[in-house]
Amino acid sequence: MKKFIFKLLLFLVVYAVVDYVLGLGLGWLAANAKGGDTARNYHITHSAEEDVLIFGSSRASNHYNSRELEKQLGSSVYNCGENETGIMYFYPLLNLIKKHHLPKVIIYDVYTMDLLDNLRLGHLDYLKPLKTSYGIDCVDSMFFRSEPTSKIKMLSSLYRNNSTFLNVLFDWVRNNIIYDKGFYLLNTGKLIDKQVPNDNKRDFVYDSEKLSFLEKFIKENKDSINIIFSISPEYGRTTDDMFDPLKKLCDQYNIPLLNHYCDTTFTMHSDYFGNVNHLNRDGAVLYTRKISEEIKGLW
Amino acid sequence: MLFNTFDFLWIFPVIFCMYYFVTCRERVIEKYPKIGNYLLIAISYVLYLKWNPVYSLILLGVTAVTYLMAIIIERNKAFGRKKYICISGVVLAMLPLLTFKYYNFLNNSFIHLFGLFGAKIGLPGLNWVMPLGISFYTFQAVGYLADVYLKRIKAEHNWWDYMLFVCFFPQIAAGPISKARDLLPQIKARRIFRYEQAVQGLKWILWGMFLKVVLADRIGVSIDSFNGILHNESGLMNLAVCFLYSFQIYGDFAGYSFMALGVGELMGFELINNFKRPYFSQSITEFWRRWHISLSTWLKDYIYIPLGGSRCSKARNYFNILVTFLVSGIWHGANWTFIAWGVMHGLFQVIEKIFGINKKQSIGIIKGIRIAITFIVVSFAWIFFRQPSFVEAWEQIIRIFTNHDLTLHFSMESMCFMSFAICLVVLKEVAEEWNIKWLNFLHSRYVFVRWVTYAFILSCILLMGVFDNSQFIYVNF
């Protein structure tokens, strides 16, 4: 028994070293990635120094053309939008960014992931892109909050790279150009299924934790950063009652809300959409121009 | 307790330490020789109670019924009366299984049948969750009762030993279905810690975990996203899903079985190995000697042989095979697709028997061709196992043969993960099947090679595993 336990412990110690070294290696690969998600994620978490940052889900990364915004606003812009994420991701992300840089403006495109409780994803899934930044207080606390066992799981640096290591490797080898200053370039399609979503009375189940983080996000940053909330268009929408809690928060803290959710310039034109939730590149350019004008009006 | 959960990672070491802390002490063992068994019963029931306290009463009920009935059978001298007692015991023990698993199916089938004649007759449906592992522990307990009736073993008079036989935690959720003559003697004997057995146990757990979280769950994540929309995908995509599911279900079930085997070995038990590289079978008959061995053995001992087995006319023998696999299909699930799957396997075996393929073992290229054909046949049969209805199963088959589009809609990342996992599993199984010792890194004679292999598999699990605590497919049966 003693021999068994001794050898088992010895293996675990040796493996802990292996895990640490491999983790360092993957970290180095991520830091030297030539393109793709890895380079983008590394830039956002470690070296983003742009004046204007775009936050939000995939709708943010698809709808806010950074180059166009830069042209219109005359400031540097980076799009930090991340697929299937929301406030539970952007709250710790901003704290992480603030460790090395204080942005002047944040344009936060709000969607269901920031408000509702009816999604298949748990809170921990939203934090996936931050796994590799684990080890910094503001990030760790969100992981512990979402799942207490992450304290143990995240000790393994390989676990932190779970599912992403292949991307890290690919992005280190080749320059995969899918983003331009964080803006997603590949949404060039046209809407095929033009079925208008049903806007009849819908019951929304709001996530109180998300709403409280949204409020914290405002309270902690409104004095040092210009926060602008925006809601980009969705195909065929005629009511925006889903965003009522956000409207209330914006009123309460005097935060501008640029609401284009039901903007008929877009919602009635399927040519501007790649799918019902996302504008395509043409739609994004038009939307970016429109919203830049409004932002300029705010300053 | 499911082995792919984080709970298992910390609860099992605690159980292991507690168990050996108690059973390794000579003084304690002298005073309380059965203390290890009591501890294992307590652990097994606590884990079951943690899942659903009420359903543990069913487990206890099935245990009590089969325990008492076995003793009554043994005490009765008249064979005829014994038969009725045995049948009563089997029916009583099976009642919860029949109710939970088949009530809705039978009810809906009758409603549908009566509906065809315009009659609206039917009972209200049940909306109950099925008790964890009910098919497995019921079959194990019923098998014991039949063995006592057939005088293959003596009735167990020690309640606690028998209780542990039915509820032993590594096998309760999804087997293996142990035989009383294999497991009860181990429960009765004093178990001592053996280094080699414990190391082997850890190897089973490590490899089982790889099969589950890397092979099965990675494939699961990729192919499950096409559920319900497969009929819109290309023929090649449908074919790929068909073959990938073969690997998914193997990884899922063999992964569980290997981990159960490993946990058993760490506790000093030798459980039956459910899988012996089934996809290297040269015929469907051989496939069932390598796939879910404990269930195949159960069906052979308690259905096929009592029906007359092969010691009867050819026609009767074919009928026996078909009935045995019909039961296998029904056991897997209350759905016509499972029944079709079972009957299909029965039919294939009858055909093999008619042409004498089942007994022939080929070598060389012929062997390779036979393995490939068997794999293709098994994979196509899995379509009925996987799809929720005949319509969807048929749509998938039709799509495979009629749509000649060659596009695959898997991401590059998932293609890499799946290919890697499949290659690694095939490599290991080839090494074992053809006994290529230098390729069998897990059992290399060099410590360095073994340790590097352990570290490699563990790294694959951490880097590629899906850690969403997904359910094991067979736990639902």
Side-chain angles (χ1 to χ4, degrees), chain B residues 388-423:
Chain B
S389 69
F390 275 128
V391 177
E392 279 153 291
W394 192 242
E395 270 176 358
Q396 187 179 351
I397 293 168
I398 293 291
R399 196 81 178 158
I400 289 170
F401 290 107
T402 56
N403 185 292
H404 305 299
D405 183 5
L406 297 177
T407 47
L408 282 176
H409 283 139
F410 296 123
S411 68
M412 180 63 137
E413 194 186 57
S414 40
M415 294 264 261
C416 289
F417 282 140
M418 290 190 295
S419 313
F420 173 80
I422 290 171
C423 288

Side-chain angles (χ1 to χ4, degrees), chain A residues 1 3-4 7-8 10-11 14-15 19 22 26 149 152-153 156 158-159 161-167 170, chain B residues 6 16 20 24 193 195 198-199 202 218 266 412-413 416-417 451 454-455 458-459 461-465 467:
Chain A
M1 176 69 106
K3 183 182 164 191
F4 177 75
K7 281 204 169 182
L8 188 62
L10 182 66
F11 175 77
V14 171
Y15 190 74
D19 180 273
L22 289 175
L26 284 167
T149 55
I152 298 166
K153 288 178 184 171
S156 162
L158 291 186
Y159 177 78
N161 286 280
N162 176 270
S163 307
T164 58
F165 85 100
L166 214 54
N167 264 342
F170 285 153
Chain B
F6 185 74
F16 178 81
Y20 281 109
C24 282
F193 179 85
Y195 175 79
V199 171
L202 285 181
R218 268 290 151 207
L266 279 165
M412 180 63 137
E413 194 186 57
C416 289
F417 282 140
W451 278 44
Y454 304 151
L458 193 53
S459 302
I461 291 170
L462 289 168
L463 284 170
M464 290 186 259
F467 297 100

Side-chain angles (χ1 to χ4, degrees), chain A residues 72-90:
Chain A
Q72 301 287 335
L73 302 177
S75 306
S76 56
V77 178
Y78 199 88
N79 192 325
C80 308
E82 185 67 48
N83 195 21
E84 292 195 322
T85 55
I87 186 65
M88 306 305 279
Y89 166 72
F90 286 102

Side-chain angles (χ1 to χ4, degrees), chain B residues 100-160:
Chain B
F100 279 95
K101 201 166 175 175
Y102 303 106
Y103 172 84
N104 280 340
F105 171 66
L106 289 173
N107 191 28
N108 292 339
S109 300
F110 280 124
I111 290 172
H112 186 71
L113 188 70
F114 290 132
L116 290 176
F117 299 102
K120 285 184 179 174
I121 304 169
L123 297 166
L126 296 180
N127 190 20
W128 295 341
V129 179
M130 207 166 72
L132 184 73
I134 189 167
S135 307
F136 293 91
Y137 69 70
T138 302
F139 265 43
Q140 184 160 312
V142 166
Y144 158 77
L145 197 60
D147 279 346
V148 173
Y149 168 70
L150 297 167
K151 291 187 177 172
R152 288 175 183 156
I153 53 163
K154 286 186 174 174
E156 177 54 58
H157 287 261
N158 187 312
W159 162 251
W160 302 108

